[in-house]
Amino acid sequence: MLKYMLKEMRVHHYVKNFLVYAALVCSGKFFDAEKLMPVTLIFVAFCFTSSIVYMINDIKDVEKDRNHPTKCKRPIAAGNISISLAIFVCVVLFVVATVCCIASRSLMASFLLFLYLCLNVAYSMGLKNVPILDVSILVSGFLLRLICGAVAADIVVSNWLYLTVISLAFYLALGKRRNELKKTAGNTRSVLKKYPESFLDKNMYLFLALAIVFYALWSVDPVTIGFYGLAAKGLVWTVPILCLITLRYSFDVEGDSDGDPVEVVVHDIPLMLLCVVYAMCMFLLLYVLHD
């Protein structure tokens, strides 16, 4: 039963919530315990809240999921977990997430997390069937993660980084929709029938280009260089690494993948290695060479 519950909670998707730490990492103060603790509490709250969202969505779409080639294997759709048990677990997770928010002592971060929950519940209840709005809500989830972490740690984030995250999130969301449409011909998600494949294809790469441009502008921004000092001059050389990461990701998405970002990354070892190289370079620049 525990195995099925962890699968239903989408624990492997918690990797998305590490975006909560992005502002803290980029500030060069990741090892500051006073800032790390509230961000970690918000991270835990986000993990449990995202599980609530997944479970509510699966309860709402249980009949549709049973007709989906892969979603039919989800515990609720497959009958491995009862709806009543799933609701009970959602209540428990909500209580734990609330306790974490209170312990973080960040009212604004707690409010933003609650906003994330409300937006995604509304998404599950019907907004996911409205084109453009559906992907916008998915993008808001990534943005709220970044903002929550920044607010909890009391850190100001560069506008260039905000724009980078927004653009990259649109790329991921549109790519997921594109591959869902190609694999199922729109038979499992009604909104897919409203999206022309060419629209999704063109715009996902438009947002990818914007993401790389915004990131490059952040890396050479005088404010960034002034903040990080001499080490900031090396940030521009992380742009080619980001290009390689997105190229590899696009290569996977153009293949037989369903476009789910987590599934794409965890099943591609070269892509994971590129992400590790990027993380090591950023750590070196922001924590070792920072003056």
Side-chain angles (χ1 to χ4, degrees):
M1 180 60 70
L2 178 60
K3 177 182 71 174
Y4 292 123
M5 185 54 68
L6 292 176
K7 182 179 180 180
E8 181 58 40
M9 290 171 62
R10 312 283 211 287
V11 174
H12 62 293
H13 279 263
Y14 286 178
V15 65
K16 298 176 185 176
N17 298 320
F18 280 106
L19 188 57
V20 169
Y21 289 103
L24 184 58
V25 171
C26 290
S27 71
K29 299 177 181 179
F30 182 76
F31 299 105
D32 184 336
E34 291 185 3
K35 293 184 178 295
L36 180 60
M37 182 54 68
V39 175
T40 298
L41 288 168
I42 292 297
F43 168 77
V44 174
F46 244 110
C47 288
F48 290 154
T49 303
S50 61
S51 287
I52 293 172
V53 170
Y54 286 127
M55 294 173 78
I56 290 175
N57 187 67
D58 286 356
I59 292 171
K60 175 71 168 53
D61 291 348
V62 61
E63 295 302 326
K64 291 182 180 179
D65 288 350
R66 284 170 179 162
N67 298 318
H68 192 279
T70 57
K71 293 180 181 180
C72 62
K73 299 177 182 178
R74 290 176 177 175
I76 293 178
N80 301 124
I81 293 176
S82 67
I83 292 179
S84 58
L85 177 59
I87 293 173
F88 172 76
V89 172
C90 283
V91 173
V92 173
L93 293 177
F94 180 78
V95 171
V96 176
T98 300
V99 171
C100 289
C101 286
I102 294 173
S104 73
R105 297 182 179 181
S106 177
L107 181 61
M108 181 55 70
S110 301
F111 169 76
L112 293 173
L113 182 58
F114 182 69
L115 176 61
Y116 167 84
L117 177 61
C118 291
L119 281 173
N120 281 275
V121 169
Y123 173 89
S124 297
M125 293 298 108
L127 293 185
K128 63 183 177 182
N129 297 318
V130 182
I132 307 299
L133 182 59
D134 65 323
V135 293
S136 297
I137 292 177
L138 295 178
V139 169
S140 72
F142 288 94
L143 181 60
L144 286 172
R145 287 175 173 91
L146 176 62
I147 298 175
C148 273
V151 170
D154 191 23
I155 291 170
V156 177
V157 177
S158 167
N159 288 332
W160 291 126
L161 283 183
Y162 279 129
L163 291 173
T164 299
V165 170
I166 291 171
S167 299
L168 195 57
F170 265 112
Y171 163 67
L172 297 175
L174 291 169
K176 189 173 188 296
R177 285 289 184 267
R178 170 185 175 276
N179 279 32
E180 286 176 334
L181 179 60
K182 289 180 64 177
K183 275 184 164 292
T184 66
N187 295 325
T188 58
R189 193 190 293 270
S190 61
V191 74
L192 294 177
K193 297 179 181 179
K194 302 173 184 177
Y195 279 121
E197 185 178 331
S198 59
F199 169 85
L200 296 170
D201 193 60
K202 293 174 183 176
N203 283 282
M204 64 179 282
Y205 287 114
L206 167 64
F207 279 108
L208 174 58
L210 287 173
I212 294 174
V213 169
F214 289 142
Y215 180 82
L217 288 171
W218 169 75
S219 70
V220 298
D221 185 7
V223 176
T224 302
I225 295 174
F227 182 81
Y228 294 116
L230 183 62
K233 294 183 178 180
L235 286 174
V236 69
W237 297 108
T238 64
V239 176
I241 302 176
L242 179 64
C243 290
L244 288 174
I245 290 173
T246 53
L247 275 173
R248 182 68 193 189
Y249 183 91
S250 296
F251 177 80
D252 289 336
V253 170
E254 292 287 351
D256 194 42
S257 166
D258 64 0
D260 184 278
V262 175
E263 297 297 332
V264 170
V265 174
V266 299
H267 288 97
D268 187 334
I269 294 178
L271 179 57
M272 286 193 288
L273 290 176
L274 282 171
C275 291
V276 170
V277 170
Y278 173 79
M280 291 174 62
C281 288
M282 291 298 288
F283 180 82
L284 180 66
L285 290 169
L286 303 185
Y287 291 88
V288 179
L289 300 179
H290 184 275
D291 54 353

